[in-house]
Short mmCIF file of all heavy atoms in Angstrom, two decimals:
data_model
loop_
_atom_site.label_atom_id
_atom_site.label_comp_id
_atom_site.label_asym_id
_atom_site.label_seq_id
_atom_site.Cartn_x
_atom_site.Cartn_y
_atom_site.Cartn_z
N LEU C 1241 6.34 11.87 10.49
CA LEU C 1241 6.19 12.23 11.93
C LEU C 1241 7.23 11.44 12.71
O LEU C 1241 7.18 10.23 12.71
CB LEU C 1241 4.80 11.83 12.41
CG LEU C 1241 3.60 12.60 11.84
CD1 LEU C 1241 2.35 12.05 12.45
CD2 LEU C 1241 3.75 14.08 12.11
N ARG C 1242 8.18 12.11 13.27
CA ARG C 1242 9.16 11.41 14.07
C ARG C 1242 8.56 11.19 15.44
O ARG C 1242 7.94 12.07 16.06
CB ARG C 1242 10.46 12.23 14.16
CG ARG C 1242 11.66 11.37 14.49
CD ARG C 1242 12.54 11.15 13.26
NE ARG C 1242 12.98 12.35 12.61
CZ ARG C 1242 13.82 13.28 13.12
NH1 ARG C 1242 14.29 13.17 14.32
NH2 ARG C 1242 14.18 14.31 12.41
N ASP C 1243 8.66 9.96 15.94
CA ASP C 1243 8.08 9.66 17.25
C ASP C 1243 8.99 10.22 18.38
O ASP C 1243 10.18 10.15 18.25
CB ASP C 1243 7.96 8.17 17.40
CG ASP C 1243 6.81 7.78 18.31
OD1 ASP C 1243 6.15 8.72 18.81
OD2 ASP C 1243 6.55 6.59 18.53
N GLY C 1244 8.35 10.72 19.40
CA GLY C 1244 9.12 11.24 20.53
C GLY C 1244 9.30 10.11 21.61
O GLY C 1244 8.98 8.98 21.38
N SER C 1245 9.86 10.54 22.77
CA SER C 1245 10.14 9.49 23.76
C SER C 1245 9.38 9.72 25.07
O SER C 1245 9.24 8.80 25.85
CB SER C 1245 11.66 9.51 24.04
OG SER C 1245 12.03 10.76 24.41
N ARG C 1246 8.87 10.92 25.27
CA ARG C 1246 8.18 11.20 26.51
C ARG C 1246 6.81 10.52 26.56
O ARG C 1246 6.20 10.40 25.51
CB ARG C 1246 7.89 12.70 26.53
CG ARG C 1246 8.58 13.51 27.57
CD ARG C 1246 8.25 14.94 27.29
NE ARG C 1246 9.25 15.83 27.69
CZ ARG C 1246 9.24 16.45 28.88
NH1 ARG C 1246 8.25 16.23 29.71
NH2 ARG C 1246 10.21 17.28 29.24
N SER C 1247 6.37 10.16 27.73
CA SER C 1247 4.95 9.75 27.78
C SER C 1247 4.26 10.47 28.94
O SER C 1247 4.95 10.97 29.84
CB SER C 1247 4.87 8.23 27.88
OG SER C 1247 5.67 7.76 28.92
N PHE C 1248 2.96 10.52 28.84
CA PHE C 1248 2.21 11.21 29.90
C PHE C 1248 2.17 10.36 31.16
O PHE C 1248 2.24 9.13 31.05
CB PHE C 1248 0.79 11.48 29.37
CG PHE C 1248 0.74 12.55 28.36
CD1 PHE C 1248 0.83 12.32 27.03
CD2 PHE C 1248 0.59 13.88 28.81
CE1 PHE C 1248 0.80 13.37 26.14
CE2 PHE C 1248 0.54 14.92 27.88
CZ PHE C 1248 0.64 14.66 26.56
N PRO C 1249 1.98 10.99 32.30
CA PRO C 1249 1.90 10.18 33.56
C PRO C 1249 0.65 9.29 33.49
O PRO C 1249 -0.26 9.52 32.71
CB PRO C 1249 1.76 11.27 34.64
CG PRO C 1249 1.35 12.52 33.96
CD PRO C 1249 1.91 12.40 32.55
N GLY C 1252 -2.80 10.61 33.39
CA GLY C 1252 -3.20 11.36 32.19
C GLY C 1252 -2.69 12.75 32.19
O GLY C 1252 -2.16 13.31 33.14
N ALA C 1253 -2.92 13.43 31.05
CA ALA C 1253 -2.48 14.84 30.92
C ALA C 1253 -3.34 15.73 31.79
O ALA C 1253 -4.49 15.46 32.11
CB ALA C 1253 -2.60 15.24 29.45
N ASP C 1256 -3.49 21.43 29.72
CA ASP C 1256 -3.14 22.76 29.23
C ASP C 1256 -2.74 22.62 27.78
O ASP C 1256 -1.89 21.77 27.45
CB ASP C 1256 -1.97 23.41 29.99
CG ASP C 1256 -2.33 23.66 31.45
OD1 ASP C 1256 -3.42 24.19 31.66
OD2 ASP C 1256 -1.52 23.28 32.34
N VAL C 1257 -3.30 23.45 26.90
CA VAL C 1257 -3.01 23.36 25.50
C VAL C 1257 -2.54 24.74 24.99
O VAL C 1257 -3.14 25.76 25.41
CB VAL C 1257 -4.21 22.89 24.67
CG1 VAL C 1257 -3.88 22.85 23.16
CG2 VAL C 1257 -4.66 21.50 25.14
N LEU C 1300 -7.30 21.99 15.07
CA LEU C 1300 -7.47 20.92 16.06
C LEU C 1300 -6.78 19.62 15.63
O LEU C 1300 -6.35 18.85 16.49
CB LEU C 1300 -8.93 20.65 16.34
CG LEU C 1300 -9.69 21.93 16.88
CD1 LEU C 1300 -11.14 21.57 17.22
CD2 LEU C 1300 -8.98 22.43 18.13
N GLY C 1301 -6.62 19.41 14.30
CA GLY C 1301 -5.92 18.24 13.83
C GLY C 1301 -4.46 18.27 14.23
O GLY C 1301 -3.75 17.20 14.18
N LEU C 1302 -3.95 19.43 14.62
CA LEU C 1302 -2.53 19.51 15.00
C LEU C 1302 -2.34 18.84 16.43
O LEU C 1302 -1.25 18.40 16.74
CB LEU C 1302 -2.08 20.94 15.09
CG LEU C 1302 -1.89 21.68 13.75
CD1 LEU C 1302 -1.73 23.17 13.95
CD2 LEU C 1302 -0.70 21.13 13.00
N LEU C 1303 -3.40 18.79 17.21
CA LEU C 1303 -3.28 18.27 18.58
C LEU C 1303 -2.93 16.80 18.58
O LEU C 1303 -2.00 16.41 19.29
CB LEU C 1303 -4.57 18.51 19.33
CG LEU C 1303 -4.74 19.95 19.91
CD1 LEU C 1303 -5.98 20.04 20.80
CD2 LEU C 1303 -3.51 20.33 20.75
N PRO C 1304 -3.65 15.91 17.87
CA PRO C 1304 -3.23 14.51 17.84
C PRO C 1304 -2.05 14.24 16.90
O PRO C 1304 -1.72 13.13 16.61
CB PRO C 1304 -4.45 13.75 17.38
CG PRO C 1304 -5.28 14.74 16.63
CD PRO C 1304 -4.91 16.09 17.17
N ARG C 1305 -1.47 15.32 16.39
CA ARG C 1305 -0.38 15.26 15.38
C ARG C 1305 -0.77 14.48 14.16
O ARG C 1305 0.00 13.62 13.70
CB ARG C 1305 0.89 14.62 16.02
CG ARG C 1305 1.69 15.61 16.85
CD ARG C 1305 3.02 15.04 17.26
NE ARG C 1305 4.05 15.09 16.19
CZ ARG C 1305 5.13 14.38 16.20
NH1 ARG C 1305 5.41 13.53 17.14
NH2 ARG C 1305 5.99 14.52 15.18
N PHE C 1306 -1.94 14.79 13.61
CA PHE C 1306 -2.24 14.25 12.27
C PHE C 1306 -1.21 14.82 11.30
O PHE C 1306 -0.89 14.23 10.30
CB PHE C 1306 -3.65 14.66 11.85
CG PHE C 1306 -4.74 13.94 12.51
CD1 PHE C 1306 -5.99 14.49 12.72
CD2 PHE C 1306 -4.50 12.67 13.00
CE1 PHE C 1306 -6.99 13.76 13.37
CE2 PHE C 1306 -5.51 11.93 13.67
CZ PHE C 1306 -6.77 12.51 13.85
N PHE C 1307 -0.70 16.00 11.63
CA PHE C 1307 0.40 16.60 10.92
C PHE C 1307 1.07 17.59 11.88
O PHE C 1307 0.48 17.96 12.90
CB PHE C 1307 -0.09 17.36 9.65
CG PHE C 1307 -1.52 17.71 9.67
CD1 PHE C 1307 -2.01 18.75 10.46
CD2 PHE C 1307 -2.44 16.93 8.98
CE1 PHE C 1307 -3.36 19.06 10.49
CE2 PHE C 1307 -3.79 17.22 9.00
CZ PHE C 1307 -4.25 18.32 9.77
N ASP C 1308 2.28 17.99 11.56
CA ASP C 1308 3.01 18.92 12.42
C ASP C 1308 2.97 20.30 11.82
O ASP C 1308 2.88 20.48 10.61
CB ASP C 1308 4.50 18.44 12.51
CG ASP C 1308 4.67 17.31 13.47
OD1 ASP C 1308 3.85 17.20 14.37
OD2 ASP C 1308 5.61 16.54 13.30
N PRO C 1309 3.02 21.36 12.66
CA PRO C 1309 3.04 22.69 12.13
C PRO C 1309 4.27 22.99 11.27
O PRO C 1309 5.33 22.40 11.52
CB PRO C 1309 3.03 23.60 13.39
CG PRO C 1309 3.47 22.71 14.49
CD PRO C 1309 3.12 21.29 14.13
N VAL C 1314 3.20 23.37 18.99
CA VAL C 1314 1.96 23.09 19.72
C VAL C 1314 2.37 22.34 20.99
O VAL C 1314 3.14 21.46 20.95
CB VAL C 1314 1.01 22.20 18.85
CG1 VAL C 1314 -0.32 22.05 19.56
CG2 VAL C 1314 0.85 22.80 17.50
N GLU C 1315 1.73 22.72 22.09
CA GLU C 1315 2.12 22.11 23.38
C GLU C 1315 0.92 21.58 24.16
O GLU C 1315 -0.16 22.16 24.09
CB GLU C 1315 2.80 23.20 24.27
CG GLU C 1315 4.13 23.72 23.75
CD GLU C 1315 4.63 24.88 24.62
OE1 GLU C 1315 3.86 25.34 25.47
OE2 GLU C 1315 5.75 25.25 24.39
N ILE C 1316 1.19 20.51 24.84
CA ILE C 1316 0.20 20.07 25.86
C ILE C 1316 0.98 19.97 27.19
O ILE C 1316 2.13 19.44 27.20
CB ILE C 1316 -0.39 18.70 25.48
CG1 ILE C 1316 -1.29 18.83 24.30
CG2 ILE C 1316 -1.20 18.13 26.68
CD1 ILE C 1316 -2.02 17.57 23.88
N ASP C 1317 0.44 20.55 28.24
CA ASP C 1317 1.10 20.60 29.52
C ASP C 1317 2.48 21.21 29.38
O ASP C 1317 3.43 20.73 30.03
CB ASP C 1317 1.15 19.23 30.21
CG ASP C 1317 -0.22 18.70 30.52
OD1 ASP C 1317 -1.22 19.50 30.35
OD2 ASP C 1317 -0.33 17.53 30.89
N VAL C 1319 4.68 21.11 27.05
CA VAL C 1319 5.75 20.33 26.36
C VAL C 1319 5.35 20.26 24.83
O VAL C 1319 4.20 19.97 24.49
CB VAL C 1319 5.92 18.91 26.94
CG1 VAL C 1319 6.90 18.12 26.13
CG2 VAL C 1319 6.29 19.01 28.39
N ASP C 1320 6.35 20.48 24.00
CA ASP C 1320 6.15 20.34 22.53
C ASP C 1320 5.64 18.95 22.21
O ASP C 1320 6.16 17.95 22.70
CB ASP C 1320 7.54 20.56 21.86
CG ASP C 1320 7.39 20.61 20.35
OD1 ASP C 1320 6.35 20.15 19.83
OD2 ASP C 1320 8.33 21.06 19.69
N LEU C 1321 4.58 18.89 21.42
CA LEU C 1321 3.96 17.58 21.12
C LEU C 1321 4.94 16.59 20.48
O LEU C 1321 4.83 15.41 20.63
CB LEU C 1321 2.78 17.75 20.15
CG LEU C 1321 1.58 18.55 20.63
CD1 LEU C 1321 0.49 18.52 19.62
CD2 LEU C 1321 1.11 18.02 21.98
N ARG C 1322 5.96 17.13 19.79
CA ARG C 1322 6.88 16.29 19.09
C ARG C 1322 7.75 15.52 20.02
O ARG C 1322 8.43 14.54 19.62
CB ARG C 1322 7.75 17.12 18.13
CG ARG C 1322 6.97 17.53 16.88
CD ARG C 1322 7.70 18.49 16.03
NE ARG C 1322 7.61 19.83 16.60
CZ ARG C 1322 7.62 20.94 15.87
NH1 ARG C 1322 7.76 20.87 14.56
NH2 ARG C 1322 7.51 22.11 16.43
N GLU C 1323 7.74 15.92 21.33
CA GLU C 1323 8.57 15.17 22.31
C GLU C 1323 7.85 13.94 22.83
O GLU C 1323 8.46 13.09 23.39
CB GLU C 1323 8.98 16.12 23.44
CG GLU C 1323 9.94 17.16 23.04
CD GLU C 1323 10.38 18.00 24.20
OE1 GLU C 1323 10.38 17.48 25.33
OE2 GLU C 1323 10.69 19.17 23.96
N TYR C 1324 6.50 13.92 22.65
CA TYR C 1324 5.76 12.79 23.19
C TYR C 1324 5.76 11.62 22.24
O TYR C 1324 5.84 11.80 21.04
CB TYR C 1324 4.29 13.17 23.44
CG TYR C 1324 4.08 14.18 24.52
CD1 TYR C 1324 3.58 15.44 24.22
CD2 TYR C 1324 4.35 13.83 25.85
CE1 TYR C 1324 3.36 16.35 25.26
CE2 TYR C 1324 4.13 14.75 26.86
CZ TYR C 1324 3.64 16.01 26.56
OH TYR C 1324 3.43 16.92 27.57
N GLN C 1325 5.60 10.45 22.83
CA GLN C 1325 5.40 9.27 22.00
C GLN C 1325 3.95 9.44 21.37
O GLN C 1325 3.04 9.79 22.10
CB GLN C 1325 5.32 7.99 22.85
CG GLN C 1325 6.69 7.37 23.10
CD GLN C 1325 6.56 6.19 23.97
OE1 GLN C 1325 5.54 5.93 24.61
NE2 GLN C 1325 7.64 5.42 24.08
N LEU C 1326 3.87 9.14 20.10
CA LEU C 1326 2.57 9.37 19.42
C LEU C 1326 1.48 8.59 20.14
O LEU C 1326 0.37 9.08 20.31
CB LEU C 1326 2.68 8.84 17.99
CG LEU C 1326 3.13 9.85 16.92
CD1 LEU C 1326 3.21 9.23 15.61
CD2 LEU C 1326 2.16 11.06 16.87
N LYS C 1327 1.79 7.40 20.50
CA LYS C 1327 0.80 6.51 21.15
C LYS C 1327 0.27 7.12 22.40
O LYS C 1327 -0.93 7.20 22.71
CB LYS C 1327 1.41 5.13 21.44
CG LYS C 1327 0.49 4.06 20.90
CD LYS C 1327 1.01 2.69 21.21
CE LYS C 1327 -0.11 1.72 20.91
NZ LYS C 1327 0.23 0.71 20.03
N SER C 1328 1.24 7.62 23.22
CA SER C 1328 0.87 8.21 24.51
C SER C 1328 0.09 9.50 24.27
O SER C 1328 -0.94 9.71 24.92
CB SER C 1328 2.16 8.50 25.30
OG SER C 1328 1.85 9.19 26.45
N LEU C 1329 0.53 10.28 23.27
CA LEU C 1329 -0.12 11.53 22.97
C LEU C 1329 -1.58 11.31 22.60
O LEU C 1329 -2.52 11.88 23.11
CB LEU C 1329 0.61 12.27 21.87
CG LEU C 1329 -0.09 13.48 21.26
CD1 LEU C 1329 -0.23 14.59 22.25
CD2 LEU C 1329 0.63 13.99 19.99
N ARG C 1330 -1.74 10.37 21.64
CA ARG C 1330 -3.11 10.13 21.10
C ARG C 1330 -4.02 9.50 22.12
O ARG C 1330 -5.27 9.63 22.05
CB ARG C 1330 -3.01 9.33 19.80
CG ARG C 1330 -2.45 10.22 18.70
CD ARG C 1330 -2.30 9.54 17.39
NE ARG C 1330 -1.66 10.44 16.43
CZ ARG C 1330 -1.16 10.06 15.29
NH1 ARG C 1330 -1.16 8.80 14.92
NH2 ARG C 1330 -0.59 10.96 14.47
N SER C 1331 -3.43 8.81 23.06
CA SER C 1331 -4.30 8.18 24.10
C SER C 1331 -4.88 9.25 25.02
O SER C 1331 -5.78 8.97 25.78
CB SER C 1331 -3.50 7.13 24.89
OG SER C 1331 -2.56 7.82 25.72
N GLN C 1332 -4.35 10.46 25.02
CA GLN C 1332 -4.84 11.51 25.82
C GLN C 1332 -5.98 12.26 25.17
O GLN C 1332 -6.59 13.23 25.75
CB GLN C 1332 -3.73 12.55 26.12
CG GLN C 1332 -2.50 11.97 26.75
CD GLN C 1332 -2.80 11.26 28.04
OE1 GLN C 1332 -3.48 11.75 28.87
NE2 GLN C 1332 -2.27 10.05 28.17
N ILE C 1333 -6.31 11.93 23.92
CA ILE C 1333 -7.24 12.70 23.17
C ILE C 1333 -8.40 11.86 22.65
O ILE C 1333 -8.19 10.71 22.18
CB ILE C 1333 -6.56 13.39 21.94
CG1 ILE C 1333 -5.42 14.25 22.43
CG2 ILE C 1333 -7.57 14.17 21.13
CD1 ILE C 1333 -4.56 14.82 21.37
N SER C 1334 -9.58 12.35 22.84
CA SER C 1334 -10.78 11.65 22.37
C SER C 1334 -11.38 12.49 21.32
O SER C 1334 -11.49 13.71 21.49
CB SER C 1334 -11.69 11.47 23.55
OG SER C 1334 -12.70 10.61 23.29
N MET C 1335 -11.81 11.93 20.19
CA MET C 1335 -12.24 12.79 19.08
C MET C 1335 -13.56 12.33 18.50
O MET C 1335 -13.84 11.15 18.36
CB MET C 1335 -11.21 12.71 17.97
CG MET C 1335 -9.99 13.57 18.24
SD MET C 1335 -8.73 13.27 17.00
CE MET C 1335 -7.96 11.82 17.65
N ARG C 1410 -14.21 6.52 25.57
CA ARG C 1410 -12.72 6.63 25.55
C ARG C 1410 -12.27 7.49 26.77
O ARG C 1410 -11.23 7.20 27.38
CB ARG C 1410 -12.20 7.22 24.28
CG ARG C 1410 -10.71 7.22 24.17
CD ARG C 1410 -10.30 7.49 22.72
NE ARG C 1410 -8.94 7.90 22.55
CZ ARG C 1410 -7.99 7.00 22.29
NH1 ARG C 1410 -8.26 5.73 22.21
NH2 ARG C 1410 -6.73 7.41 22.10
N ALA C 1412 -10.90 10.55 27.52
CA ALA C 1412 -9.55 11.00 27.60
C ALA C 1412 -9.56 12.47 28.18
O ALA C 1412 -10.60 13.09 28.20
CB ALA C 1412 -8.92 11.00 26.26
N PRO C 1413 -8.39 12.94 28.66
CA PRO C 1413 -8.36 14.26 29.29
C PRO C 1413 -8.65 15.40 28.30
O PRO C 1413 -8.98 16.48 28.74
CB PRO C 1413 -6.91 14.37 29.75
CG PRO C 1413 -6.35 13.05 29.71
CD PRO C 1413 -7.12 12.19 28.77
N ILE C 1414 -8.45 15.17 27.01
CA ILE C 1414 -8.70 16.20 26.04
C ILE C 1414 -9.72 15.71 25.00
O ILE C 1414 -9.56 14.59 24.50
CB ILE C 1414 -7.36 16.63 25.33
CG1 ILE C 1414 -6.44 17.25 26.35
CG2 ILE C 1414 -7.67 17.64 24.21
CD1 ILE C 1414 -5.06 17.45 25.79
N LEU C 1415 -10.70 16.51 24.77
CA LEU C 1415 -11.77 16.09 23.90
C LEU C 1415 -11.87 17.06 22.72
O LEU C 1415 -11.83 18.26 22.89
CB LEU C 1415 -13.08 16.15 24.71
CG LEU C 1415 -14.25 15.35 24.17
CD1 LEU C 1415 -13.95 13.88 24.14
CD2 LEU C 1415 -15.47 15.62 25.04
N ILE C 1416 -11.91 16.49 21.50
CA ILE C 1416 -12.10 17.32 20.30
C ILE C 1416 -13.39 16.94 19.62
O ILE C 1416 -13.54 15.78 19.25
CB ILE C 1416 -10.93 17.13 19.35
CG1 ILE C 1416 -9.63 17.58 19.97
CG2 ILE C 1416 -11.18 17.87 18.04
CD1 ILE C 1416 -8.42 17.34 19.10
#
Side-chain angles (χ1 to χ4, degrees):
L1241 291 180
R1242 203 105 54 69
D1243 208 359
S1245 55
R1246 247 173 208 266
S1247 50
F1248 284 93
D1256 294 314
V1257 176
L1300 298 184
L1302 289 168
L1303 279 184
R1305 280 189 80 197
F1306 286 152
F1307 20 77
D1308 282 333
V1314 187
E1315 294 174 350
I1316 291 181
D1317 295 352
V1319 176
D1320 187 344
L1321 296 186
R1322 284 172 281 211
E1323 290 183 28
Y1324 291 115
Q1325 274 178 347
L1326 270 178
K1327 230 184 167 124
S1328 175
L1329 170 67
R1330 289 179 183 165
S1331 70
Q1332 305 302 314
I1333 301 173
S1334 189
M1335 282 173 277
R1410 186 166 165 92
I1414 297 170
L1415 197 64
I1416 296 176

